[in-house]
Amino acid sequence: VGGHSHVAALSHTDMLDRYWSIPNLIVDYGLQNRVAVTTQRFTDAQLASMYCACSVTLCIGVEGFGFPAAESLACGVPCICGSYGAQAEFAPKSRQVDPNAYFYEGAFCSKRPVHSPDAWAFKVEKVLKNNYTGSLLPKHVDWNGSTLWPAWERWFRKGGE
């Protein structure tokens, strides 16, 4: 990442310091002018604005239902995610990254994936070469009417392609 001056990142987290320090990692990798870190809550309009400013969304962590992936796709931004959890249910296999291993954390021994950074970088390069434009959501849907959920359900079941 450090060699590509056009790379910028937005990192949203609930904690800046947990197992590692995000601010320290940004400095260690020389990304001070290319990464924005947020911890606060945002309105729907603010979230949409941030997603739309991105070329791709990475859903690296374990996040319940997979809201970041769905939000990204709703804004027309391709999403790459791990091949586990809810996000793997609707993300096409071509945009999933398989873990190399797993580790167990916390009092409840939650199973967490371990990935190769190179695998994520490969998927990002592949997605960016496709130059997606426009919405990635189903076409011809009445977003305020009765056709909304059936369209989402069909779209999710076939993997967002």
Side-chain angles (χ1 to χ4, degrees):
V1 173
H4 300 281
S5 61
H6 64 279
V7 173
L10 170 66
S11 174
H12 183 74
T13 183
D14 60 347
M15 298 182 88
L16 290 176
D17 292 290
R18 185 174 290 166
Y19 303 109
W20 55 82
S21 168
I22 292 174
N24 287 347
L25 286 171
I26 291 169
V27 171
D28 289 349
Y29 287 95
L31 300 171
Q32 296 90 322
N33 297 321
R34 291 186 266 174
V35 177
V37 180
T38 61
T39 56
Q40 72 271 23
R41 294 188 179 270
F42 296 100
T43 66
D44 290 346
Q46 290 171 320
L47 274 174
S49 177
M50 287 186 275
Y51 279 116
C52 289
C54 298
S55 299
V56 65
T57 300
L58 304 181
C59 294
I60 296 172
V62 179
E63 196 281 331
F65 169 74
F67 282 122
E71 292 163 347
S72 176
L73 294 170
C75 291
V77 178
C79 183
I80 300 169
C81 63
S83 59
Y84 52 86
Q87 56 201 11
E89 296 296 320
F90 61 85
K93 188 64 180 160
S94 65
R95 292 193 212 131
Q96 294 180 24
V97 178
D98 293 324
N100 293 351
Y102 291 93
F103 72 96
Y104 294 90
E105 92 177 331
F108 300 104
C109 292
S110 300
K111 188 176 180 180
R112 303 293 189 212
V114 177
H115 292 99
S116 160
D118 291 339
W120 285 92
F122 174 77
K123 294 284 183 168
V124 168
E125 287 179 346
K126 190 173 178 181
V127 165
L128 293 178
K129 285 180 184 175
N130 285 331
N131 294 322
Y132 290 98
T133 58
S135 176
L136 296 176
L137 294 175
K139 306 283 187 267
H140 310 296
V141 174
D142 173 12
W143 295 102
N144 297 311
S146 63
T147 61
L148 179 59
W149 174 247
W152 268 105
E153 184 178 32
R154 281 190 309 277
W155 184 74
F156 279 137
R157 289 190 188 283
K158 65 180 214 182
E161 291 286 359

